[in-house]
Amino acid sequence: MGVLLQHFILDELRRVLPRLASRRGLTLPQMNDLADVLAILAERIEPSDGQDAALSDANDPPVLGTLLTARAREEVSYLITGDKDLLPLAERYPIVTPVAFLAMYVGWVGDSQPSLTSSENFPGSPATA
C-alpha cells in the first residue's frame, strides 16, 4: 500500500498548507516541499462519487470519493485529514487526523519530531487517500 491522491487533494493541500505553516512550526518552503514530495510519491486516482448527506462543503465529496475508490481497490487504510467537515464522518469511514496518524504509526506524540526515516516506524505501511 502507498499514498493515493487525486489532483483536487493536491490542489487543496497547496492552498491550505501556507495557512498551517506557522501553526505547525514549519516554514512555507518546508510546507511546499511536503506538497512536492506527495505529488511525486503518490499514485493519482480518479475518485468515485463521494456524496454523503453529512457533507456540507462542496469541496469535500471529491476527497471522500478518493477514500471510497481507494478502499474499493483495497489499497488504503485511512483518509488523513484535518478538515473539520470530514472528521465527523470518522464514525462511518476510516478517517484520522494527521496527529492521530503520526501517533499510531510513527510514535509521535506532542511537540517532539517523529523520525520518518526508520522502517520500524511504519508497521503495515498504512496508506492515505
Side-chain angles (χ1 to χ4, degrees):
M1 285 192 236
V3 176
L4 303 173
L5 294 172
Q6 52 122 335
H7 292 285
F8 176 83
I9 292 174
L10 285 171
D11 292 344
E12 184 79 354
L13 273 172
R14 291 190 188 282
R15 185 181 67 78
V16 172
L17 284 177
R19 290 189 315 204
L20 301 177
S22 63
R23 286 195 273 170
R24 299 295 175 219
L26 297 172
T27 66
L28 186 55
Q30 288 171 320
M31 288 290 205
N32 288 332
D33 287 347
L34 173 62
D36 290 343
V37 167
L38 285 172
I40 292 167
L41 296 178
E43 176 187 346
R44 302 235 174 87
I45 63 173
E46 288 301 316
S48 64
D49 180 22
Q51 293 299 325
D52 187 292
L55 292 176
S56 59
D57 185 339
N59 290 322
D60 290 338
V63 178
L64 183 59
T66 301
L67 172 65
L68 298 176
T69 298
R71 300 255 318 149
R73 292 171 40 173
E74 298 181 5
E75 294 187 35
V76 71
S77 299
Y78 302 100
L79 169 64
I80 302 171
T81 184
D83 186 286
K84 305 245 183 301
D85 292 319
L86 289 167
L87 288 172
L89 299 179
E91 295 175 7
R92 295 193 315 257
Y93 304 103
I95 299 173
V96 297
T97 66
V99 170
F101 174 79
L102 289 171
M104 290 186 299
Y105 289 97
V106 182
W108 181 36
V109 179
D111 294 331
S112 64
Q113 292 283 326
S115 169
L116 299 177
T117 58
S118 172
S119 61
E120 67 191 35
N121 289 327
F122 295 97
S125 294
T128 63

